[in-house]
Amino acid sequence: MLLGVLCGLPFVFSKRLGDGRFLLLFWGLFWFLPFTVLGGKFTRYYTFALPLVLIISAIGTSRIAHLIVNFVAPRFQGARLPERSSSMLRAALILLFLAFPAIAAARVSPYYRLYINIFGGGNAQAGNYFPHDEFYDGSVREATYKVSAIARPAARVASETTELVTFYLQQAQRGDLVAVSLSDQMAVRELATGDIIIDAKGRRYFSNDKLTNILRSAATPIDRLPYGPTNSISIYVLDERVLTLIREANMP
């Protein structure tokens, strides 16, 4: 796809593409201007530009196929290929190009948001660039059910999705558990031994960064939940040592 974009981009500025190029130019401008002031950390904003990229890639791919047919065919036949044979060869080349993104999509199914191409590091970097968009609230339901099975009566469950956790706790018949926010410093100070923290990668903020760093460096999670090729949530049961570190970090 990237190769097709590189080959197709010059044609966007060429009269050979016809008046259709004005749609592509306007589309690019319409997307680029607001993106300069929108939050670049959210890859969801790229969705507006992705169809444009795919159209340009299709133009480039078609052009590559056309050049290959014109270059290779005479050397096999000694003369120009019939129009039907030329079209079939061009279509076969285009299908070959389409096979690569199709295989990539099949490999990451159904966790399409976690796909990272080879230039970005592949599966080893899944979920590391834009976790808010790549995870959202993936595995929260499974994490809450695990918490409901191990939590002591009336324990507090700290997370950044209090309403969602409350809903699944009710589904698990654990209405005695209290969901609190990791960003609520007063609630964090009131945590006690045996309370539980759900550390979700897709919910890391400035307001909870210090606390989650303490957990990752000083505590061992009782469970880690996978989301596709990577872990999305860690579950911690607090002991007195970790509580002391958290309280010291949250002191005004």
Side-chain angles (χ1 to χ4, degrees):
M1 185 183 75
L2 294 175
L3 178 61
V5 170
L6 292 175
C7 294
L9 197 58
F11 290 93
V12 176
F13 303 94
S14 172
K15 292 183 179 180
R16 296 175 60 184
L17 192 60
D19 292 340
R21 71 187 189 280
F22 294 114
L23 170 63
L24 302 182
L25 292 171
F26 174 78
W27 195 339
L29 180 66
F30 183 77
W31 170 78
F32 180 79
L33 289 180
F35 193 75
T36 59
V37 295
L38 292 173
K41 66 180 180 179
F42 295 112
T43 53
R44 67 176 74 106
Y45 294 135
Y46 185 67
T47 304
F48 297 105
L50 188 55
L52 172 63
V53 173
L54 295 176
I55 291 172
I56 296 174
S57 182
I59 294 170
T61 301
S62 177
R63 184 59 182 171
I64 292 172
H66 178 76
L67 292 175
I68 291 176
V69 169
N70 288 345
F71 179 79
V72 174
R75 286 157 177 76
F76 280 95
Q77 299 291 330
R80 187 177 180 85
L81 277 177
E83 183 62 29
R84 183 177 179 181
S85 299
S86 178
S87 297
M88 291 179 63
L89 180 57
R90 188 180 297 109
L93 291 170
I94 292 174
L95 289 175
L96 179 63
F97 274 94
L98 292 176
F100 290 98
I103 293 172
R107 285 179 175 176
V108 298
S109 174
Y111 305 101
Y112 301 109
R113 292 196 304 265
L114 292 178
Y115 172 72
I116 302 293
N117 64 24
I118 58 174
F119 301 108
N123 284 344
Q125 295 296 324
N128 289 337
Y129 291 113
F130 303 96
H132 293 81
D133 286 333
E134 294 162 336
F135 290 110
Y136 287 101
D137 295 325
S139 303
V140 170
R141 177 181 59 184
E142 293 78 5
T144 306
Y145 287 159
K146 286 183 177 293
V147 167
S148 67
I150 63 172
R152 63 175 174 81
R156 291 181 177 86
V157 181
S159 71
E160 288 294 359
T161 52
T162 54
E163 293 183 0
L164 192 59
V165 168
T166 298
F167 172 79
Y168 287 127
L169 287 175
Q170 292 173 351
Q171 294 288 308
Q173 306 299 317
R174 288 303 305 268
D176 62 299
L177 302 181
V178 181
V180 298
S181 173
L182 280 176
S183 296
D184 185 346
Q185 292 189 3
M186 291 298 296
V188 170
R189 291 193 190 103
E190 295 175 358
L191 293 175
T193 302
D195 287 342
I196 295 174
I197 290 180
I198 297 176
D199 177 18
K201 284 187 177 180
R203 292 290 181 170
R204 185 178 181 183
Y205 307 119
F206 287 117
S207 56
N208 64 33
D209 186 57
K210 185 185 295 184
L211 188 152
T212 54
N213 283 336
I214 291 173
L215 289 174
R216 293 165 189 169
S217 62
T220 302
I222 62 166
D223 203 352
R224 289 188 176 94
L225 278 72
Y227 188 78
T230 187
N231 293 324
S232 60
I233 285 181
S234 297
I235 301 173
Y236 298 88
V237 177
L238 299 178
D239 56 28
E240 195 59 40
R241 180 181 63 86
V242 176
L243 277 171
T244 300
L245 293 174
I246 291 174
R247 288 166 182 162
E248 290 176 351
N250 280 316
M251 287 181 64

